[in-house]
């Protein structure tokens, strides 16, 4: 079938990036992408530009209450009395305003029913005290509800972005709050366009090293699979692959829990915890940092690691496929630290140490024993 | 704008138009981060952005009668924010801002520990955005950081859709050039 080559403009591509296209448009986009290398190049540059600029450093949002107070005080000076923000209706909500203007208002209604000045004075004291009590009692409650609603609505306004790495690819990625994420190969990080004032939250699939910028009263939370990791400012590694979730702390401390193991564990520098189906009593243990953080300095580290997992890592790192011709080889274990600059070297060392044979055929690794 | 927010917004705007101060407060709490972020990206200066955010909402309240509910977006708020920044940049030459930066650096060198959090340095991405011409920059920021689509941007800037497209293409190609080292 003959198809007229439609043109694709930046507006359309931006809508694709922001996931605002219909399924039909998506299909059209995918065809366009396949059309030429040039198109792929164009799109990948745009998405990179879009993501990186979106994550570019920004100052913290100024305190809302303080800004609001300034706005109200400027407006009170500028506007005529009838439009001022001191009206009875609003005074309960604008809690930072002085309460005095309200008292004459309230008392005016009772003016006529009191004949004696002393009674009136007593009433003033009584009412003022009552009013102050009422405000003190109910305002925090009211505010916490309205704050909660604001947060809920804000959550809808804030957009989520996804950062993905392919096999064989790693990204160092600055977040909007000044924290940095090192995303390992074949991983995914979901992060918001802007962090909320009181809370920072990201989600991780795969492996990443976080260097979280410390902000008091603004905790940083990583959700990875089942696990929840809560920090205020620290450096730590999270690995969430098929075999479970492990968290290693390089600096400061973090608190972890999962939906299965609700007990909150505190991890300090040099400690790690592993959550997996095999481990039914997860506890912090001492860990060799250089081992778990090796990937960041382009090294692969293994310690008594089953060959099947070693090969998984190699597949991820070099973007390869692998076949085991003999099942029993999968459970052989390997220990060692490898430079990643030469895959052939790694293969030959593994072959020698484990007495096996790994052949490389294009982008496929074939694992057999040394005999044939 | 996300569609589920349109109703909330329209509701708020309607009540603000009728002088409801509580709705104005709610509106402020919802959109202050967005407006501040826009103004920071536009002016590249945190303090200026703070002041102009405040001014934007004050103007918005004072001119609440002019809110056009048929447009059904907060375009009006961003139009005010942008106009204020244009006026601001006309009044304040770039040199005074550089002096400010120098003062900040001096302050920082005297007392690096305590001052660090209150001082903010631009990264190369923001520096690149700063280099874009005014209309081009406004277009790009509204699209990238404020999440408006092209027709909404056309409404805010008071230009045609075609102009938005042209400005956006220009912004993207300039940014690609300026940030080439980061885009490999």
């Amino acid at each position: 079938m003959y198809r007229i080559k439609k043109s694709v403009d930046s507006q359309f591509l931006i809508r694709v990036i922001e996931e605002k296209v219909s399924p039909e448009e998506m299909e059209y986009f995918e065809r366009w992408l396949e059309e030429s290398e040039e198109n792929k190049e164009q799109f990948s540059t745009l998405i990179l530009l879009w993501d990186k600029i979106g994550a570019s450093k920004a100052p913290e949002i100024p305190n809302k209450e303080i800004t609001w107070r300034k706005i109200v005080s400027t407006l009170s000076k500028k506007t005529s009395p009838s439009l001022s923000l001191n009206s009875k209706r609003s005074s309960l909500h604008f809690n930072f305003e002085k309460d005095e203007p309200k008292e004459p208002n309230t008392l005016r209604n009772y003016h006529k029913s009191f004949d004696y000045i002393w009674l009136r004075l007593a009433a003033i004291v009584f009412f003022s005290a009552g009013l102050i009590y009422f405000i003190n009692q109910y305002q925090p409650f009211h505010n916490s509800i309205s704050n909660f609603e604001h947060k809920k609505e804000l959550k809808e306004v804030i957009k989520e972005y996804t950062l993905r790495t392919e096999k064989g690819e790693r990204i160092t990625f600055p977040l909007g709050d000044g924290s940095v994420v090192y995303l390992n190969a074949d991983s995914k990080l979901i992060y918001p366009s802007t962090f909320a004032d009181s809370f920072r939250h990201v989600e991780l699939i795969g492996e990443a090293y976080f260097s979280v910028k410390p902000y008091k009263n603004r905790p940083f939370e990583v959700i990875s699979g089942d696990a929840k990791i809560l920090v205020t400012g620290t450096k730590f590694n999270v690995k969430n692959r098929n075999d479970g979730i492990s968290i290693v702390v390089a600096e400061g401390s973090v608190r972890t829990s999962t939906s299965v193991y609700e007990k909150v564990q505190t991890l300090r520098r040099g400690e790690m915890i592993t959550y997996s189906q095999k481990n039914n009593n997860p506890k912090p243990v001492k860990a060799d940092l250089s081992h778990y953080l090796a990937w960041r300095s382009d090294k692969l580290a293994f310690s008594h690691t089953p060959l099947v997992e070693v090969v998984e890592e190699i597949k991820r790192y070099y973007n390869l496929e692998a076949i085991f011709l003999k099942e029993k080889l999968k459970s052989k274990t390997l220990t060692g630290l490898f430079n990643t600059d030469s895959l052939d070297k790694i293969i030959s060392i593994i072959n020698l140490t484990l007495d096996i044979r790994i052949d490389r055929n294009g982008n496929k690794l074939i694992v057999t024993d040394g005999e044939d | 704008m996300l569609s589920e927010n349109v109703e909330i917004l329209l509701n708020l705007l309607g009540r603000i138009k009728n002088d409801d101060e509580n709705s104005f407060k709610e509106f402020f709490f919802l959109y202050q981060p967005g407006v501040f972020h826009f103004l920071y990206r536009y002016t590249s200066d945190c303090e200026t952005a703070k002041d102009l955010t405040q001014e934007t909402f004050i103007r918005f309240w004072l001119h609440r009668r002019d809110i056009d509910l048929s447009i059904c977006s907060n375009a009006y708020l961003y139009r005010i924010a942008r106009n204020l920044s244009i006026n601001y940049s006309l009044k304040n030459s770039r040199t005074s801002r550089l002096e400010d930066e120098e003062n900040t650096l001096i302050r920082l060198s005297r007392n690096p520990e305590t001052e660090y959090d209150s001082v903010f340095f631009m990264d190369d991405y923001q520096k690149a955005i700063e280099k874009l011409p005014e209309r081009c920059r406004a277009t790009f920021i509204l699209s990238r950081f404020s999440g408006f689509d092209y027709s909404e941007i056309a409404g805010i800037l008071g230009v045609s859709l075609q102009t938005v497209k042209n400005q956006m293409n220009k912004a993207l190609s300039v940014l690609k050039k300026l940030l080439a080292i980061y885009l490999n």
Side-chain angles (χ1 to χ4, degrees), chain B residues 20-37:
Chain B
D20 181 354
E21 292 135 14
N22 290 327
S23 297
F24 177 53
K25 184 177 183 185
E26 212 173 304
F27 178 79
F28 166 80
F29 271 74
L30 264 176
Y31 294 104
Q32 183 244 18
V35 170
F36 173 75
H37 204 186

Side-chain angles (χ1 to χ4, degrees), chain A residues 107-168:
Chain A
L107 290 167
R108 208 168 293 141
N109 304 328
Y110 297 91
H111 183 88
K112 281 171 194 158
S113 52
F114 295 110
D115 294 319
Y116 298 102
I117 186 135
W118 289 111
L119 202 56
R120 277 176 58 189
L121 276 176
I124 288 171
V125 171
F126 178 75
F127 269 103
S128 308
L131 194 63
I132 288 163
Y133 178 76
F134 178 83
I135 289 168
N136 286 343
Q137 286 299 299
Y138 289 94
Q139 249 180 333
F141 177 62
H142 173 88
N143 281 349
S144 67
I145 287 192
S146 71
N147 279 345
F148 173 72
E149 276 165 3
H150 284 309
K151 264 180 207 150
K152 218 172 72 186
E153 282 164 12
L154 270 178
K155 224 174 180 176
E156 284 161 9
V157 176
I158 291 168
K159 286 180 195 164
E160 282 190 332
Y161 294 107
T162 304
L163 180 72
R164 277 189 203 89
T165 47
E166 297 298 324
K167 286 181 180 170

Side-chain angles (χ1 to χ4, degrees), chain A residues 10-11 14 50 52 54 56-58 61-62 64 70 83-85 90 94 150 153 156 159 161 213, chain B residues 2 21-22 24-26 30 32 41 54 64 116 120-121 123 125 143-144 147 150 165 169 182:
Chain A
S10 63
Q11 181 181 20
I14 287 165
W50 202 251
K52 291 213 169 181
S56 133
K57 258 172 66 175
I61 307 289
K64 284 178 195 164
K70 285 184 189 157
L83 291 180
S84 85
L85 289 159
S90 58
F94 301 151
H150 284 309
E153 282 164 12
E156 284 161 9
K159 286 180 195 164
Y161 294 107
K213 184 152 168 81
Chain B
L2 302 176
E21 292 135 14
N22 290 327
F24 177 53
K25 184 177 183 185
E26 212 173 304
L30 264 176
Q32 183 244 18
R41 293 297 175 193
Q54 215 172 297
R64 61 192 177 281
Y116 181 78
F120 188 81
F121 294 102
D123 61 15
Y125 298 106
S143 172
R144 178 62 191 96
Y150 282 23
K165 281 184 191 173
N169 287 336
Y182 295 99

Side-chain angles (χ1 to χ4, degrees), chain A residues 9-11 14 18 20 42 45-46 48-65 67-68 70-71 74-75 78-79 82-87 89-90 93-96 143 147 150 153-154 156-159 161 174 191 193-194 197 213-215, chain B residues 1-2 4-5 8 19-22 24-34 36-37 40-41 46 50 53-55 57-58 61-62 64-65 116-117 120-123 125-126 129 140 143-151 161 165 168-169 172 175-176 179 182-184:
Chain A
D9 63 4
S10 63
Q11 181 181 20
I14 287 165
E18 304 213 312
K20 286 178 181 166
Q42 189 193 338
T45 315
L46 182 66
L48 201 60
L49 181 77
W50 202 251
D51 275 352
K52 291 213 169 181
I53 286 195
S56 133
K57 258 172 66 175
E60 274 196 272
I61 307 289
N63 184 301
K64 284 178 195 164
E65 283 293 346
T67 316
W68 175 246
K70 285 184 189 157
I71 290 174
T74 314
L75 279 175
K78 273 189 186 172
T79 48
S82 67
L83 291 180
S84 85
L85 289 159
N86 285 329
S87 78
R89 181 168 41 123
S90 58
H93 292 265
F94 301 151
N95 57 320
F96 45 81
N143 281 349
N147 279 345
H150 284 309
E153 282 164 12
L154 270 178
E156 284 161 9
V157 176
I158 291 168
K159 286 180 195 164
Y161 294 107
Y191 63 98
S193 53
T194 29
D197 279 357
K213 184 152 168 81
Y215 284 115
Chain B
M1 296 301 305
L2 302 176
E4 60 261 44
N5 290 314
I8 302 175
D19 305 335
D20 181 354
E21 292 135 14
N22 290 327
F24 177 53
K25 184 177 183 185
E26 212 173 304
F27 178 79
F28 166 80
F29 271 74
L30 264 176
Y31 294 104
Q32 183 244 18
F36 173 75
H37 204 186
Y40 168 70
R41 293 297 175 193
C46 182
K50 269 187 199 170
T53 303
Q54 215 172 297
E55 194 57 31
F57 281 94
I58 289 170
W61 176 255
L62 293 177
R64 61 192 177 281
R65 306 254 185 267
Y116 181 78
D117 269 348
F120 188 81
F121 294 102
M122 266 195 273
D123 61 15
Y125 298 106
Q126 182 58 35
I129 294 172
F140 180 78
S143 172
R144 178 62 191 96
F145 295 103
S146 308
F148 288 106
D149 65 33
Y150 282 23
S151 56
L161 192 59
K165 281 184 191 173
M168 199 61 195
N169 287 336
L172 290 171
L175 290 173
K176 266 179 213 166
L179 296 167
Y182 295 99
L183 300 175
N184 287 320

